[in-house]
Amino acid sequence: MDGEASLWNPDLAPTGPAQRTWRWYHFAALWVGMIVQVPSWLLASGLIEQGMSAGQAALTVLAGNVVVLIPMLLIGHAGARHGVPYAVLARAAFGTSGARLPAIARALVACGWYGIQTWIGGEALLTLLGVMAGYNLSGAPLPFLDIGIGQLLAFAAFWAFQILFLQKGLTIVRKLETWTAPIKIAVCGALVWWALDRAGGVGPIFASPSAFAPGGAKAGQFWPTFWPALTAMVGFWGTLALNIPDFTRFARAQRDQIIGQAIGLPPTMGLIALASVITTSATVVIYGKAIWDPVALAGTLSGPFVLIGLLVISIDTISCNIAANLVCAAYDFSSLWPARISYRTGGMITAGIGVLIMPWKLLATTGGYIFTWLTGYSALLGPIAGILIADYWLVRGTKLDVVALYRSHGRYTYAGGWNVAAVLAFAIGVLPNLPGFLHAAAPGTFGWIGAPWTTIYSYAWFVGLLLALVSYRLLMLRSPAPAPIVEPA
């Protein structure tokens, strides 16, 4: 199918029957490959550092991923049925021009994640080289950057290595995830076995109450911590909840994406959280302190295990970063100017911005990682998910005029290419969370902002999604009824 140059290129075109080859196990393997990664590991272990017990941390992670599976399947349905990527699907709700708003919002978040993953991969590479050399290669912190020359060079090398995979597209991603998923699970199991063997058991964190228990350092503060944490857990994959059509458009059948995602997402996140809390608790016994970063933990080991572990972390980071961040952002940037920005050009833009955000500063503390970064962007992406769900399921009953999605004059043109109802619903979903975000991101400047804004921000993704979903549906009731869509048999 061809379309207008301003809205179409081969990368954005609907998938045909020959391209729809992904079976349920490909989706399950994709999720295993994306989940078994360092940032996923940091979720549960970071919650322990925030005061939760091991059980509380693991259950919080699992609950967040059960919740996010719902929009994942609802939005993924459109990709499997109509074969269009997220950036094109958004045109039905936001308009052929307005769709650039959710596309750029999602793309910028992906750039942030791309930088974080690249930093983690570079750290694993540097640690591996340091173990082989016998000393720390980080170097003294550089002015402004606050990282050593060794860290900067490792980051740059890992960044450049990933660019090689950019040229291969989604085919190599599917193969890489399918091949490496079993290896990643085996390595996690081996790390848990090592931790328990060295610690002589699960460690004191499993046996001791959380910091929120009576008499604890944060007694009575569990719920004020739990809700922002749950929102952050949902936000962790809130990015893929939007971009999942980029993958489900290759599904052989609707059943494959549903079963594959249900098997691959919540159970694997629950297992990685359990492995994380077991290993983190064991490090208290082994080293006298909790080591929540697996790269740092690998650097304390010796023998072939550290080499194997760091090598797997590096491969894992490449496969996850390409699948979860580079692919999605590349499509989004391509949709901004299809005639000039190809999938590969969009990927290069993503990689460039990922450097400029200085990701090491986002990972400086668990609080900044979980409560500022994850919760903050969930407040931005939750409303978009609400609008897409309301438009596709409630307004259109899952029917789309696919040809019109690639035409600047048609049923999705609205007013000059913009659907005012979607823009207003997006603002209604985002604005209530803005004061709370400012308080969390810059407490020194916005510390005067208190309840109810900080309380609302604790539920940022939920608040944004529900407000945008309901307001969009109500606003669209005032719009003229669209002409019936007759889909091909």
Side-chain angles (χ1 to χ4, degrees), residues 60-72:
T60 300
V61 173
L62 180 61
N65 284 273
V66 170
V67 171
V68 81
L69 178 64
I70 298 172
M72 198 82 66

Side-chain angles (χ1 to χ4, degrees), residues 322-371:
I322 294 173
N325 302 313
L326 192 65
V327 169
C328 301
Y331 280 130
D332 293 339
F333 282 123
S334 179
S335 73
L336 300 180
W337 196 4
R340 297 290 184 181
I341 303 178
S342 66
Y343 164 82
R344 290 177 175 81
T345 303
M348 290 302 301
I349 295 172
T350 303
I353 296 176
V355 174
L356 297 178
I357 59 132
M358 294 190 287
W360 51 87
K361 297 195 175 185
L362 288 175
L363 291 173
T365 66
T366 58
Y369 172 58
I370 293 176
F371 297 112

